[in-house]
Each structure stands twice: as C-alpha cells, then as structure tokens.
Amino acid sequence: MMNEAIWKAMFISKIRDIIKERHMSLKEVSSMTGLSISSISRLLAGRSNPTVRTVLKFAYGFRIKVSNLIIFSEMFK
C-alpha cells in the first residue's frame, strides 16, 4: 500500500506538471483555485500536506477530474 509521503510527492508532481504545461503563474493558480499564493507555495515546496479540500480546489480550478490528480491504482497495491 502506498504511504502518505509517496502519495504527497506524486500529487505535488502532478500539480507542478499542470502548472508548467499551462505556463501559469502562482497568481493565476491562486485565482483559479481560491487558494492563497503562500498556501500553494508551501504545498509545492512540500512544507504542507494536501487536504481533500485542497485536492478538490485544484481539480475544480484546473477544470479536471479529481482522478487526474490522484493515481488511485497506485494507492491500493
């Protein structure tokens, strides 16, 4: 079973990839998600843990399915 640290790293990597692919600034991400720039920065630096609320805000803000942010199949191995 996947531990929390691995899940967190995979989630952060996915968020970074989306931001990079879309050429977004943290200000734009903040505007889309409703999260503060400092919260996003702490998350991307690995200094905070994503909550269910955070995952939902990213999915809604990026207009993607939650399943695109979380690799569920890896969680149950």
Side-chain angles (χ1 to χ4, degrees):
M1 187 171 218
M2 180 183 296
N3 72 32
E4 185 178 337
I6 294 171
W7 178 85
K8 179 180 169 181
M10 291 173 66
F11 175 76
I12 291 170
S13 177
K14 184 66 176 174
I15 295 298
R16 282 188 185 133
D17 289 346
I18 293 168
I19 291 169
K20 185 177 178 180
E21 288 169 5
R22 297 184 183 187
H23 307 285
M24 298 175 72
S25 68
L26 291 185
K27 185 175 180 179
E28 290 171 314
V29 175
S30 174
S31 177
M32 291 176 75
T33 62
L35 297 166
S36 69
I37 293 172
S38 62
S39 293
I40 297 165
S41 293
R42 281 193 307 275
L43 177 69
L44 295 176
R47 294 190 315 260
S48 69
N49 293 318
T51 63
V52 171
R53 181 176 172 260
T54 302
V55 173
L56 293 173
K57 284 186 170 228
F58 275 110
Y60 181 78
F62 289 153
R63 291 181 164 78
I64 60 175
K65 294 179 182 179
V66 171
S67 60
N68 290 348
L69 294 175
I70 301 171
I71 303 169
F72 291 104
S73 62
E74 293 295 321
M75 295 177 74
F76 300 106
K77 284 187 174 180

